[in-house]
Amino acid sequence: MKTSIATVSISGELPDKLAAIAAAGFDGVEIFENDFLAFDGSPTDVGSMVRDHGLEITLFQPFRDFEGMPEPLRSRTFDRAERKFDIMQQLGTDLVLVCSNVSPASLGGIDRAAADFHELGERAAKRGLKVGYEALAWGRHINDHRDAWEIVRRADHANIGIILDSFHSLSRKIDINSIRSIPKDKIFIVQLADAPLIDMDLLYWSRHFRNMPGEGDLPVTEFTAAIAATGYDGYLSLEIFNDQFRGGSPKAIAADGRRSLIYLGDQVRRIPEVEALSVTEMPERAAVKGIGFVEFSADEKDAADLAAILRTLGFRRTAQHRSKQVSLFEQGDIRLLLNTDEGGFANASFAVHGTTAYAMAFVVDDAVKAFSRAIALGAEPFMQSVAEGEVEIPAIRGVGGGLIYLIDDRGDLGRFAEIDFQPITDDTGVEPTHLRFIDHLAQTVAYDEMLTWLLFYTAIFEAHKTPMVDIIDPAGVVRSQVVENATGSLRVTLNGAENRRTLAGHFIAEKFGSGVQHLAFHTDDIFATVLALKANGFRPLPISPNYYGDVEARFGLDPDLTERLKAHDILYDRDEHGEYFQLYSTSFGEGFFFEIVQRSGYRGYGAANAIFRIAGLKKALRPEGVPRA
Ligand code: MG
Ligand code: MG
């Protein structure tokens, strides 16, 4: 599978774009005319710059409003075409994209268009060039690839072919199986884009909201499977118009694009009876069975404070690392590590971000396979030397540069805690609070990184993303989207902060980057848990008393239940599947907190309650401009 991307998909000046595209591992690039016009060099210079990066120019585009014009406009469009051909020859590319005519002057008529293309084919052939015709979803007479194909078929010229673009076909819900009858040698290139499902004007939707395959909601995999069925094995080229990408980091967007295509190729390869695209083979997506541990990096002072909070939450220190300053705290199936080691990555992370949950472990069936899939999808591996006899755990870099360790129950990896840690039995003054496992883990990221991490998680691990939910912070909106699996053993909520005055934004600003902002533990009985917590000296986050009158009325709660919720600062929510009880800790440091939930069938995360939690947490925050104590 050869991969390409249109220059328009990425931000920056043409040289920055090309450098990012080459670094991400693409084989080719579509030169978008405006990128070329805005650049000071000649077409020949652009061509050599592209080739110096080891890239091929796959396509020059767009050539607009060509077919079906009356005279004298018709003659002029042919003159314009000859000038494009001049540029193409100087650039060193042989394919141009003609998109279907949108001009009110165009006459329509399938044979008129076919005749125009036949003549254009004759002119292109003289120069050894080819022309691909693409149906724009909003074309004046041609807005369906089936009609575009009929024109190409009737044009009957070796130098005229069709260009298929997933957005134009899928946005109009055209039957994708119609692609299967097109001969592969007449498909000159395939352009791919996904998009979130939004009901809006097609042109506006296409120009502003396209995103990488797998980042949106369109069936791009089925589209690509239909392409593969023709036997086509040419370039798959991303053509993404997205306002956010145009303002983003060229390197990150290019890397996301390349990952999206590798992931797409892998998904298509797994569809039975599809004629395989020649794609990299890799293990299937890793099923996550649970969160094996979460590790905090801290200095001695913060570590003592955090350990005190963990004890009020009912965690006991059960083991100490044999060679590093790392303590293990446990309760139920929850393992938390507290790392104050002066060397290594944890310390480096602390130096930049302060006390954070900088690492977590996903329990998978086969850590080696999960790791090799992650690497095949462009994840950055993490290596750290371990002492003799200790277990080396495979890891990749995740959100905010933090770590995701991959563990399984095979061999030494399954026993790393016994091998690397020395048991401690003297931490007995703490009563357990019936916490059983990690229900979810919330990561806060800059809004423009949301799609990156959604793609990262869903490409590597067996998980899906839920629709985006707006969380109302008194200072602005935080967008929240969840990566979860069918069994609920993996639940990561991603919160995208747009401004630093929101609690999420404050967290990112103060932590110098994205990271884990809260950890939610599951209990089967929140009332038993809250009593045990209070006996340990834990103080829940105070919730406004006004909340309870509202929640009682909204859900028709028994007043006795409302009173008990209110007495313990417990929040309540319900959906068609069941009930949800939540309580929070106050924040630790710059906005990190713990949550305790009781979930009985309920599928959400208490989004409607977030505003009350945020208001409570914000009261306790250090005001801006006041130095740390
Ligand atoms: Mg296109
Ligand atoms: Mg939560």
Side-chain angles (χ1 to χ4, degrees), residues 474-518:
V477 175
V478 174
R479 311 214 184 256
S480 183
Q481 206 159 357
V482 181
V483 173
E484 59 181 22
N485 62 12
T487 60
S489 54
L490 174 66
R491 293 191 179 111
V492 177
T493 65
L494 287 169
N495 296 316
E498 283 184 274
N499 84 55
R500 59 169 297 157
R501 288 177 301 117
T502 59
L503 187 74
H506 176 90
F507 176 83
I508 290 183
E510 292 299 324
K511 289 293 182 194
F512 299 105
S514 312
V516 175
Q517 192 175 7
H518 79 259

Side-chain angles (χ1 to χ4, degrees), residues 50 68 71 91 98 165 251 265 278 320 323 339 368 387 427 438 444 469 472 526 535 546 580 585 596:
V50 170
E71 288 294 358
L91 278 172
V98 174
D165 179 318
K251 202 167 158 244
S278 53
Q320 177 67 33
S323 66
N339 188 330
V368 172
D427 199 5
I438 293 175
T444 297
V469 171
I472 307 303
I526 198 141
N546 299 333
Y580 197 51
S585 73
I596 289 155

Side-chain angles (χ1 to χ4, degrees), residues 345-366:
F345 184 76
N347 190 255
S349 170
F350 174 78
V352 179
H353 306 291
T355 297
T356 49
Y358 82 103
M360 58 181 163
F362 284 177
V363 185
V364 295
D365 277 326
D366 185 327

Side-chain angles (χ1 to χ4, degrees), residues 393-410:
I393 308 179
I396 53 173
R397 305 292 291 271
V399 167
L403 304 183
I404 299 176
Y405 285 106
L406 299 162
I407 58 179
D408 58 31
D409 55 12
R410 292 154 190 256

Side-chain angles (χ1 to χ4, degrees), residues 30 61 97 134 136 163-165 168 191 210 239 241:
E30 292 180 16
Q61 71 137 320
L97 175 145
E134 174 196 65
L136 291 177
I163 292 178
L164 294 162
D165 179 318
H168 293 301
Q191 294 181 315
R210 288 184 178 213
E239 189 198 29
F241 307 92

Side-chain angles (χ1 to χ4, degrees), residues 6-80:
T7 52
V8 71
S9 317
I10 294 186
S11 69
E13 308 286 329
L14 188 57
D16 308 329
K17 292 179 190 231
L18 293 176
I21 290 166
F26 285 94
D27 308 296
V29 61
E30 292 180 16
I31 299 292
F32 209 76
E33 190 169 35
N34 276 348
D35 282 316
F36 152 73
L37 295 176
F39 181 68
D40 284 338
S42 69
T44 315
D45 295 340
V46 172
S48 355
M49 194 163 67
V50 170
R51 282 179 287 277
D52 286 348
H53 278 106
L55 296 165
E56 183 183 2
I57 301 178
T58 51
L59 178 67
F60 181 60
Q61 71 137 320
F63 182 47
R64 300 182 194 280
D65 297 335
F66 164 71
E67 80 283 14
M69 288 299 212
E71 288 294 358
L73 292 175
R74 183 176 183 278
S75 300
R76 262 187 253 150
T77 63
F78 278 95
D79 293 346
R80 279 200 295 127

Side-chain angles (χ1 to χ4, degrees), residues 360-598:
M360 58 181 163
F362 284 177
V363 185
V364 295
D365 277 326
D366 185 327
V368 172
K369 280 189 177 170
F371 180 77
S372 82
R373 179 175 178 92
I375 301 308
L377 284 158
E380 191 184 331
F382 171 78
M383 313 280 184
Q384 180 160 263
S385 62
V386 297
E388 175 109 27
E390 289 177 5
V391 182
E392 207 170 338
I393 308 179
I396 53 173
R397 305 292 291 271
V399 167
L403 304 183
I404 299 176
Y405 285 106
L406 299 162
I407 58 179
D408 58 31
D409 55 12
R410 292 154 190 256
D412 284 354
L413 199 50
R415 296 186 302 116
F416 84 93
E418 294 140 65
I419 296 171
D420 292 2
F421 287 78
Q422 177 100 42
I424 290 174
T425 50
D426 58 355
D427 199 5
T428 51
V430 172
E431 286 310 313
T433 61
H434 323 295
L435 303 182
R436 291 189 45 216
F437 52 84
I438 293 175
D439 179 89
H440 64 273
L441 179 148
Q443 296 188 309
T444 297
V445 302
Y447 177 67
D448 63 8
E449 288 178 40
M450 288 278 281
L451 290 173
T452 298
W453 296 110
L454 287 167
L455 179 65
F456 171 89
Y457 282 120
T458 53
I460 299 172
F461 302 103
E462 193 184 301
H464 58 265
K465 57 183 193 287
T466 62
M468 191 173 278
V469 171
D470 289 345
I471 305 271
I472 307 303
D473 180 292
V477 175
V478 174
R479 311 214 184 256
S480 183
Q481 206 159 357
V482 181
V483 173
E484 59 181 22
N485 62 12
T487 60
S489 54
L490 174 66
R491 293 191 179 111
V492 177
T493 65
L494 287 169
N495 296 316
E498 283 184 274
N499 84 55
R500 59 169 297 157
R501 288 177 301 117
T502 59
L503 187 74
H506 176 90
F507 176 83
I508 290 183
E510 292 299 324
K511 289 293 182 194
F512 299 105
S514 312
V516 175
Q517 192 175 7
H518 79 259
L519 265 179
F521 304 127
H522 176 91
T523 172
D524 292 334
D525 183 346
I526 198 141
F527 292 107
T529 290
V530 76
L531 293 175
L533 288 170
K534 287 181 172 175
N536 281 338
F538 175 91
R539 290 196 343 254
L541 178 75
I543 299 298
S544 162
N546 299 333
Y547 167 79
Y548 293 95
D550 176 62
V551 87
E552 182 178 299
R554 239 179 329 130
F555 295 105
L557 297 184
D558 182 330
D560 286 348
L561 176 61
T562 316
E563 274 313 305
R564 291 173 74 203
L565 295 173
K566 187 175 174 181
H568 298 299
D569 295 295
I570 296 170
L571 298 150
Y572 179 87
D573 197 17
R574 195 162 70 203
D575 65 12
E576 65 272 35
H577 308 288
E579 292 183 296
Y580 197 51
F581 298 88
Q582 306 168 269
L583 80 86
Y584 291 97
S585 73
T586 53
S587 74
F588 175 79
E590 302 299 334
F592 179 88
F593 56 93
F594 294 101
E595 178 181 11
I596 289 155
V597 304
Q598 180 186 336

